[in-house]
Amino acid sequence: MRHLFFVLALLCTALSAGLFYAFSTIVMPGLDLGGAASAIHSMQGMNTIVRNPLFAAVFFGALVLPLLAALGARSAGHRGAARLAVLAALIHVAAVIGVTLQVNVPLNETLATVASNDPNASNFWKDFAVPWTVWNHVRTGGAIAAFLCLLAAWATDLTTANRRTHGLR
């Protein structure tokens, strides 16, 4: 069962990293090219539809599943793998969930109050997009780091299990 938790945790962290990476490298620069009114309207729409069960499953699964994998690894006596999986969860909670709740969501909520046809839309968009994107880079790095920790945890778990199967230490 722990291997399933590792695979699902890796999938959730990879999807998170890919989503945040795409926003940093494609979505936000693309919105900038469309002009402030279009960018504000589009981002408001994205912020509305992101609140869905599939996104929530990936976003919070990247926290819960590494912890379940860690429990499985720990119960199998694979302490090193368990520690790495917990580290992945800690990185995700700080750099992804924490940044999202403390920075990106408040920025999104402020943007939700702006009319896309406001004469100051250009200033509102710049005041939103610059910090939002900078902090999104942090989320991207955090999700990538969590993925790499999980990958190392699973490799450690498999190596430890293989050594024990073959009577090696």
Side-chain angles (χ1 to χ4, degrees), residues 98-118:
V99 168
T100 298
L101 296 178
Q102 294 296 313
V103 180
N104 295 89
V105 168
L107 286 168
N108 292 343
E109 289 172 351
T110 299
L111 188 69
T113 66
V114 175
S116 59
N117 62 353
D118 187 295

Side-chain angles (χ1 to χ4, degrees), residues 78-137:
H78 306 170
R79 289 187 195 107
R83 282 192 284 274
L84 285 167
V86 168
L87 178 60
L90 291 173
I91 291 169
H92 183 79
V93 78
V96 177
I97 294 175
V99 168
T100 298
L101 296 178
Q102 294 296 313
V103 180
N104 295 89
V105 168
L107 286 168
N108 292 343
E109 289 172 351
T110 299
L111 188 69
T113 66
V114 175
S116 59
N117 62 353
D118 187 295
N120 292 317
S122 180
N123 290 332
F124 284 124
W125 177 250
K126 183 179 173 188
D127 290 345
F128 168 84
V130 171
W132 193 98
T133 304
V134 166
W135 284 101
N136 191 66
H137 296 334

Side-chain angles (χ1 to χ4, degrees), residues 2-81:
R2 74 180 184 277
H3 297 293
L4 177 62
F5 290 140
F6 273 116
V7 169
L8 293 174
L10 283 163
L11 178 61
C12 286
T13 56
L15 287 170
S16 291
L19 174 71
F20 298 132
Y21 175 80
F23 262 86
S24 284
T25 62
I26 299 166
V27 175
M28 294 306 284
L31 289 175
D32 283 339
L33 290 177
S38 175
I40 290 169
H41 182 72
S42 296
M43 193 66 168
Q44 288 170 337
M46 286 183 263
N47 288 333
T48 299
I49 64 168
V50 75
R51 295 180 184 123
N52 67 69
L54 289 175
F55 177 79
V58 169
F59 189 73
F60 294 107
L63 169 62
V64 173
L65 290 164
L67 295 174
L68 293 173
L71 285 173
R74 178 76 172 119
S75 69
H78 306 170
R79 289 187 195 107

Side-chain angles (χ1 to χ4, degrees), residues 123-163:
N123 290 332
F124 284 124
W125 177 250
K126 183 179 173 188
D127 290 345
F128 168 84
V130 171
W132 193 98
T133 304
V134 166
W135 284 101
N136 191 66
H137 296 334
V138 173
R139 296 191 298 179
T140 303
I144 291 168
F147 175 82
L148 292 174
C149 280
L150 275 171
L151 194 58
W154 196 28
T156 300
D157 183 76
L158 293 172
T159 301
T160 303
N162 190 34
R163 285 182 177 165

